[in-house]
Amino acid sequence: KKKNIDSLILKLFLRLFSQILPYNYVFEVKKTKERIGELFLNKMFIQLPEGMTKYFSILRKIFGKISHSVSVLYLSCQITYGACCIQDCLGKNFGSSIVFHYGHSCLVSILNCILSVVYIFIEIKYDFSFLIQTIRELFCTDRDRLMITSTIQFSSELKIIKIYISMLFNILEIPQTKPLSPGEVLGCTSFSTEDQSGVVYIGDGKFHIESVLFFNPNIKIIQFNPFNKLLTLLGFKFTDIIIERESFIEKAMFFPKSCNFIFGALGRQGSIKILKTITFLATKHQIKPIIYVGTEINNNRLNTINGNFSNLWVQLSCPRISLDWGHYFKNLVITSFEFSIFMRSTKINKNFIPMDFYSKIGNFWTSYSELKIQFNLHIPKKKTFNL
C-alpha cells in the first residue's frame, strides 16, 4: 500500500510540474527517487549541462516533495562540458555521497571516482517523420550504404528510425565505438565510415559531428536538427586544418629539449594512463618533462608561466582544445597524438585525424589503450605546479 501511495504521489507531482518541464524530456525522476531511497540521502549533488541549469529549481522542488530524506540539493558551480567533467571531488567537499550527472553518457567509470555516480542521459523524444520522408531524396535507395548517429540525448529513437529507413535502404548501420552507446558520437570520439555512402546525424550544434568529419573528411553528412526540423549538408576545409597541424608539429622540432605537459583537472578530463605513456616517450627521447595541473588553458596562464616566451605545450585534457583553438594560442599547444608524431612513434595521415580519445580500440595516446611495447611506465619525479 505504501508503494502504491508513493507511486500515486510521484505521478501527481510529475503532472503538476509537467507544465513547466519540457514534455519530451526524460529526467528519470522515478529512477532518481529509488536511488535516494536506497541510500537514505540527505544531501544531493547535481551536475547539469549549461543549457539545462534552468531546470534545477524545478528538480529541487520535485525531489524535496517526493523524498522524505533529502534536505539539501547542491548544483555544481563549474561548467559541465561533457561526460569527462565528473565533479566527484567537489561533491565530496559538499558532503554528498553520490553525484547525479545529467545530460551525458557513462564515459568515466565509477571505479575511477571517489563517489558513486548516477548518469541520467535526459533522453529527448522528437518527431522524426520529416527525416524519413526526405532522406529518400538525398540518397540512392538501391546502392547507398548509410550510417545513422546522434548525441546521447537522441539515441533512444535510433533503433525505431532504423526500422523505418531500412524499408527504403538495403544497408543501414548504427555504428558503435565502445564504450559509447550504439550510434553515440562525442566531440573527441567517433567512428570510421569506410565503404559508406553517407552519414545521417541527429542533433543540434556542430561540435559532436565535427569529430566524424575529422575522422572521415570525404564522407557526405546530413544533419537533422530535431528542434527546428532543418536538414543541413555539412563539411569543412579539412586540408587547411591538416596543413595547420602539420606546421605546428614542424615548429615543435625547433624547441629545446624540454616540454610542458598540462594535465586536465576539470572533473576527470586528465588521464593518468596517457600521462604515464607520454612522459615515458619524452624521457626515452631525452626530453625533460615539466608537468602542470590546470582546469583551464588560456594565453594569460601560459604566458605567466613562460614569462611571455613561446614554448611547447602538450595538453592532455581534450584533443579538441588544440584542434579548434590551436591558432588562438601564442604558444604551441598540441595533442597527445601529435606529440607521438613529434616523437616519431607514429606517422601523420593526411587523409584523416583519428578521433579515438575514449575508444576501447584507440591507440596508445588515448584513454583506454597502452603503448604496445614492454616497459615499466612511471611518471618522472619532477616538481609539479598548479596552473
Side-chain angles (χ1 to χ4, degrees):
K1 286 183 179 180
K2 186 178 179 182
K3 287 185 178 180
N4 292 335
I5 294 172
D6 288 343
S7 179
L8 181 61
I9 293 173
L10 179 60
K11 287 181 181 179
L12 289 173
F13 275 109
L14 289 180
R15 280 186 185 179
L16 178 64
F17 288 104
S18 63
Q19 298 176 3
I20 306 173
L21 288 173
Y23 72 93
N24 58 329
Y25 284 47
V26 182
F27 284 92
E28 300 189 51
V29 175
K30 186 177 179 181
K31 169 185 172 181
T32 308
K33 179 183 180 298
E34 290 174 353
R35 197 62 191 269
I36 293 171
E38 290 172 2
L39 300 174
F40 300 101
L41 296 177
N42 64 342
K43 293 182 180 180
M44 283 182 66
F45 184 80
I46 290 179
Q47 282 187 269
L48 287 166
E50 196 171 5
M52 296 284 184
T53 53
K54 57 186 176 183
Y55 300 122
F56 173 71
S57 60
I58 304 170
L59 292 173
R60 182 177 60 186
K61 290 177 183 178
I62 292 175
F63 296 136
K65 294 292 184 182
I66 65 176
S67 172
H68 303 293
S69 60
V70 174
S71 58
V72 183
L73 255 76
Y74 295 108
L75 174 65
S76 174
C77 57
Q78 296 191 359
I79 295 177
T80 304
Y81 292 107
C84 54
C85 302
I86 297 291
Q87 296 292 345
D88 53 318
C89 295
L90 185 60
K92 185 176 182 180
N93 289 339
F94 278 102
S96 178
S97 59
I98 192 167
V99 175
F100 291 88
H101 186 94
Y102 285 79
H104 300 106
S105 58
C106 311
L107 191 60
V108 178
S109 171
I110 59 174
L111 299 177
N112 297 331
C113 300
I114 60 176
L115 295 182
S116 297
V117 180
V118 175
Y119 289 92
I120 298 171
F121 299 157
I122 311 184
E123 294 178 2
I124 302 175
K125 306 298 180 182
Y126 53 96
D127 179 13
F128 51 80
S129 58
F130 174 75
L131 172 64
I132 296 171
Q133 290 169 9
T134 56
I135 198 171
R136 70 179 75 188
E137 305 295 333
L138 302 172
F139 296 96
C140 178
T141 57
D142 295 330
R143 65 174 184 270
D144 278 348
R145 306 162 63 97
L146 295 184
M147 280 184 167
I148 184 167
T149 184
S150 73
T151 55
I152 190 63
Q153 288 82 15
F154 304 105
S155 62
S156 61
E157 305 281 14
L158 290 184
K159 290 183 180 179
I160 302 173
I161 294 173
K162 181 180 179 181
I163 293 172
Y164 283 100
I165 298 182
S166 295
M167 298 176 185
L168 304 174
F169 292 86
N170 295 326
I171 302 176
L172 179 67
E173 183 182 348
I174 297 179
Q176 182 177 13
T177 305
K178 292 183 178 181
L180 307 186
S181 301
E184 182 188 1
V185 63
L186 298 177
C188 62
T189 308
S190 59
F191 47 83
S192 174
T193 60
E194 190 176 354
D195 299 326
Q196 300 294 321
S197 306
V199 174
V200 177
Y201 167 68
I202 300 171
D204 60 321
K206 301 291 188 293
F207 178 75
H208 292 83
I209 192 58
E210 280 174 351
S211 69
V212 180
L213 286 167
F214 278 121
F215 217 161
N216 312 274
N218 297 318
I219 197 70
K220 180 180 180 181
I221 299 180
I222 301 294
Q223 178 182 8
F224 172 67
N225 189 324
F227 298 113
N228 55 23
K229 305 293 190 298
L230 285 179
L231 285 172
T232 308
L233 178 63
L234 302 179
F236 62 10
K237 295 181 180 179
F238 179 76
T239 52
D240 292 351
I241 295 171
I242 201 72
I243 289 171
E244 179 186 78
R245 302 317 300 172
E246 274 188 304
S247 69
F248 287 171
I249 297 171
E250 289 173 1
K251 289 177 183 177
M253 303 291 181
F254 295 97
F255 282 89
K257 293 291 184 178
S258 66
C259 183
N260 301 317
F261 294 86
I262 307 175
F263 184 82
L266 181 62
R268 294 288 173 176
Q269 271 191 346
S271 169
I272 293 293
K273 184 176 288 187
I274 296 177
L275 181 62
K276 289 180 178 179
T277 303
I278 297 302
T279 50
F280 171 82
L281 284 177
T283 52
K284 183 181 177 183
H285 289 81
Q286 298 181 342
I287 291 179
K288 178 184 176 183
I290 304 173
I291 303 167
Y292 297 86
V293 178
T295 57
E296 186 180 349
I297 304 172
N298 57 51
N299 276 323
N300 290 335
R301 292 189 177 188
L302 299 186
N303 291 339
T304 300
I305 297 170
N306 290 340
N308 292 320
F309 291 101
S310 182
N311 210 334
L312 175 62
W313 294 83
V314 182
Q315 59 89 10
L316 308 178
S317 300
C318 174
R320 292 296 297 273
I321 294 175
S322 297
L323 295 176
D324 294 358
W325 299 96
H327 60 280
Y328 164 79
F329 295 113
K330 295 178 181 178
N331 298 266
L332 285 180
V333 181
I334 63 176
T335 66
S336 54
F337 165 65
E338 290 166 342
F339 184 73
S340 71
I341 297 173
F342 173 59
M343 292 288 94
R344 295 183 173 84
S345 298
T346 188
K347 294 181 179 180
I348 192 168
N349 191 319
K350 295 185 179 183
N351 297 319
F352 67 90
I353 296 175
M355 288 282 104
D356 54 356
F357 198 66
Y358 280 102
S359 171
K360 284 286 188 181
I361 57 174
N363 217 310
F364 65 85
W365 55 79
T366 63
S367 296
Y368 290 106
S369 298
E370 296 178 356
L371 198 59
K372 299 295 189 295
I373 57 175
Q374 296 295 322
F375 57 80
N376 293 320
L377 286 174
H378 66 283
I379 299 179
K381 294 182 179 179
K382 303 293 178 182
K383 188 175 181 180
T384 302
F385 303 89
N386 286 328
L387 253 182

